[in-house]
């Protein structure tokens, strides 16, 4: 079985105050958002990602900026200040969203199994094992893969000051084989947030897996674009094999036409499902002192319709800022290498562009050692053509 690793080089971030903590200096994250403001913005989640119940020409007042839905830009942004603090973070990969290259031992059990009975991601892991056995194995994994002692070692070592926590949308709104199989996962989110706070680390919550996969990789929860090749084997015979990916695809945003090279259908149900998950995350962790912010989607693939992705990022941003104005909002750079020219220009001030650089290091916090993704963010004074930004 062959597992491929996909990584991203860049992501961009929106920041509020120049502070590492996700809450304002007095610790009361979200205070000051009055009922009138909340009432004016609650239509954001309920609207279709391409249509708005409110007049697009209208603006919406948020705590630190004035939002324009039609242009997806912000004005009257008196609050924003440069983010000069370096964040050195470690990615808690392979824990709540499985990735076989990180935790191969969970997938050894599927070797020599027939086609259709092989787990290669969280979706098929739960599908093949079923809710009871799948949940039993996952709970054992959750108990041992990330522990309080590891978080303590990370904090005391001084190399990192933040954690990136990949989560699946299925943890907040289960569907398909995830129902029952991932029960209890949210208890571990609560644990790691409390541990991080106790040891002085911040946490970026990263929605790593979206319904029907945003990139076709196993790290999205569901592998797409693979073909079984067992019957084509000449030698050795009787092996169960597959090819990944003969033709890549991703179905989170709809149906991709590989011949035309674009999406023939946009799945608004999936997109709105993801927006509801963002709302649930905001509701669940609003005010928690360890939360640095939210990354609404990890590695959307390069064929993702940019206009739809812009709208998703915008509406997710407003959901977050409505309740948690001090949370950072991290936009991933997709798997397209030209990260500076597509959807990022919607609300970024070029004089305050923030760049997240991601790389991998070997972190020996336990035996045997394992590769963990480390991300760092630096303030970059870059130039461009846009003139407005959001906090």
């Amino acid at each position: 079985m062959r597992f491929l690793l996909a990584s991203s080089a860049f992501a961009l971030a929106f920041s509020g105050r120049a502070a590492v903590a996700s809450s304002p200096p007095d610790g009361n994250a979200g205070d000051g958002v009055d009922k009138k403001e909340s009432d004016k913005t609650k239509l954001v989640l309920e609207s279709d990602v391409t249509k708005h119940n409110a007049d697009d020409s209208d603006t919406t007042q948020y705590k630190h900026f004035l939002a324009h839905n039609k242009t997806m830009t912000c004005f009257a942004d008196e609050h924003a200040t440069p983010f000069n603090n370096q964040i050195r973070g470690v990615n808690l990969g392979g824990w709540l969203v499985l990735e076989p290259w990180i935790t191969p031992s969970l997938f050894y059990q599927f070797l020599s199994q027939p086609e259709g009975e092989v787990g290669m991601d969280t979706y098929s892991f739960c599908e093949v094992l079923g809710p009871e056995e799948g949940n039993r194995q996952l709970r054992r994994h959750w108990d041992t893969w990330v522990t309080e002692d590891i978080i303590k070692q990370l904090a005391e070592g001084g190399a990192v000051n933040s954690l990136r926590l990949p989560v699946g949308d299925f943890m907040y709104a289960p569907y398909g084989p995830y129902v029952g199989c991932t029960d209890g996962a949210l208890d571990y989110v609560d644990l790691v947030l409390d541990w991080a706070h106790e040891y002085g680390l911040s946490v970026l919550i990263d929605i790593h897996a979206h319904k029907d996969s945003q990139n076709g990789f196993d790290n999205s929860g569901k592998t797409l674009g693979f073909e079984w090749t067992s019957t084509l084997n000449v030698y050795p015979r009787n092996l169960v094999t597959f090819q990944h990916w003969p033709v890549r695809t991703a179905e989170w945003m709809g149906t991709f036409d590989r011949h035309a090279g674009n999406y023939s259908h946009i799945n608004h149900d999936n997109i709105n499902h993801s927006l509801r998950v963002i709302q649930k995350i905001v509701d669940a962790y609003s005010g928690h002192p360890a939360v640095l912010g939210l990354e609404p989607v990890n590695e959307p693939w390069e064929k993702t319709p940019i206009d739809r992705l812009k709208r998703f990022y915008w509406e997710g941003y407003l959901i977050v800022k409505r309740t948690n104005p001090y949370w950072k909002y991290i936009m991933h750079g997709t798997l397209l290498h030209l990260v500076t020219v597509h959807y990022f220009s919607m609300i970024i001030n070029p004089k305050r562009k923030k760049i997240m650089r991601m790389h991998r290091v070997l972190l020996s916090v336990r035996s045997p050692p394992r590769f963990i993704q480390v991300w760092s963010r630096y303030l970059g004074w870059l130039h461009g053509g846009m003139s407005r930004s959001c906090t």
Side-chain angles (χ1 to χ4, degrees):
M1 296 173 65
R2 181 164 62 111
F3 303 106
L4 300 183
L5 167 63
S7 65
S8 166
F10 301 97
L12 298 182
F14 302 133
S15 69
R17 291 191 185 278
V20 173
S22 59
S23 57
D26 61 5
N28 296 320
D31 285 358
V33 182
D34 59 25
K35 184 177 185 301
K36 181 178 180 181
E37 177 183 333
S38 177
D39 290 343
K40 289 174 67 177
T41 59
K42 68 182 180 180
L43 284 178
V44 173
L45 177 63
E46 297 170 356
S47 64
D48 183 279
V49 291
T50 58
K51 300 177 182 178
H52 293 276
N53 294 327
D55 186 349
D56 276 340
S57 65
D58 291 341
T59 58
T60 304
Q61 181 65 57
Y62 282 73
K63 185 174 179 64
H64 300 128
F65 60 90
L66 192 64
H68 290 240
N69 278 323
K70 185 175 182 179
T71 59
M72 292 180 286
T73 56
C74 297
F75 293 82
D77 183 16
E78 302 297 334
H79 173 75
T81 56
F83 193 102
N84 291 312
N85 295 309
Q86 184 184 100
I87 297 177
R88 305 178 307 278
V90 61
N91 189 63
L92 302 180
W95 189 34
L96 300 176
V97 178
L98 302 182
E99 298 186 42
W101 75 274
I102 301 179
T103 57
S105 59
L106 284 171
F107 294 87
Y108 290 155
Q109 62 188 306
F110 302 115
L111 294 176
S112 301
Q113 295 299 310
E115 294 181 6
E117 296 183 23
V118 176
M120 59 186 70
D121 46 45
T122 312
Y123 187 96
S124 55
F125 182 92
C126 289
E127 188 175 46
V128 171
L129 295 179
E132 292 185 7
E133 177 60 18
N135 189 246
R136 185 190 69 81
Q137 292 192 26
L138 286 177
R139 285 180 181 270
R140 182 178 60 191
H141 171 62
W142 297 334
D143 281 334
T144 56
W145 187 246
V146 174
T147 65
E148 181 178 2
D149 184 60
I150 289 175
I151 302 303
K152 181 181 179 181
Q153 289 184 54
L154 288 170
E156 292 178 347
V160 302
N161 57 20
S162 191
L163 307 172
R164 180 173 181 253
L165 178 64
V167 300
D169 66 344
F170 50 80
M171 294 163 52
Y172 299 89
Y175 52 88
Y178 298 121
V179 176
C181 185
T182 58
D183 284 358
L186 296 184
D187 295 337
Y188 293 86
V189 176
D190 294 337
L191 277 176
V192 80
L193 289 178
D194 291 343
W195 292 337
H197 178 56
E198 180 175 352
Y199 296 108
L201 302 174
S202 63
V203 178
L204 172 66
I205 299 173
D206 153 44
I207 307 180
H208 218 69
H210 284 266
K211 193 172 186 179
D212 292 329
S213 181
Q214 73 273 16
N215 56 33
F217 297 147
D218 50 25
N219 64 31
S220 70
K222 185 178 184 181
T223 304
L224 296 179
F226 73 95
E227 290 183 358
W228 294 107
T229 57
S230 307
T231 58
L232 302 178
N233 289 331
V234 176
Y235 180 83
R237 297 181 182 277
N238 302 320
L239 287 182
V240 177
T241 60
F242 66 93
Q243 183 180 0
H244 194 206
W245 302 259
V247 178
R248 283 188 56 211
T249 189
E251 299 177 352
W252 169 48
M253 281 212 166
T255 304
F256 183 72
D257 185 337
R258 69 178 187 178
H259 300 291
N262 56 34
Y263 278 79
S264 59
H265 168 74
I266 299 299
N267 193 326
H268 299 296
D269 289 339
N270 277 4
I271 300 171
N272 286 324
H273 166 84
S274 296
L275 291 172
R276 288 191 293 271
V277 168
I278 291 176
Q279 183 67 66
K280 289 184 177 184
I281 290 174
V282 167
D283 292 341
Y285 311 118
S286 178
H288 196 292
V291 178
L292 173 69
L294 178 73
E295 181 182 345
V297 57
N298 173 70
E299 294 181 342
W301 80 316
E302 62 272 19
K303 296 295 185 179
T304 305
I306 295 300
D307 57 337
R308 307 289 178 171
L309 190 58
K310 281 179 66 173
R311 177 58 65 183
F312 170 75
Y313 273 134
W314 173 252
E315 297 209 359
Y317 178 72
L318 297 184
I319 291 169
V320 169
K321 291 298 181 177
R322 181 172 69 228
T323 303
N324 295 295
Y326 296 94
W327 278 19
K328 311 305 180 229
Y329 190 78
I330 310 299
M331 293 194 311
H332 204 284
T334 81
L335 298 179
L336 184 68
H337 297 299
L338 301 177
V339 297
T340 61
V341 297
H342 285 282
Y343 50 86
F344 297 119
S345 62
M346 62 183 180
I347 44 180
I348 293 291
N349 185 326
K351 292 183 178 180
R352 291 200 293 268
K353 283 185 179 178
K354 289 84 180 174
I355 295 180
M356 177 184 292
R357 296 196 283 190
M358 306 180 73
H359 53 93
R360 286 176 175 79
V361 300
L362 181 61
L363 186 64
S364 298
V365 296
R366 60 159 37 186
S367 181
R370 51 188 152 155
F371 284 95
I372 299 181
Q373 190 177 68
V374 173
W375 53 273
S376 299
R377 183 168 65 190
Y378 305 86
L379 176 67
W381 293 88
L382 307 179
H383 298 284
M386 301 302 292
S387 61
R388 298 294 179 182
S389 72
C390 293
T391 60

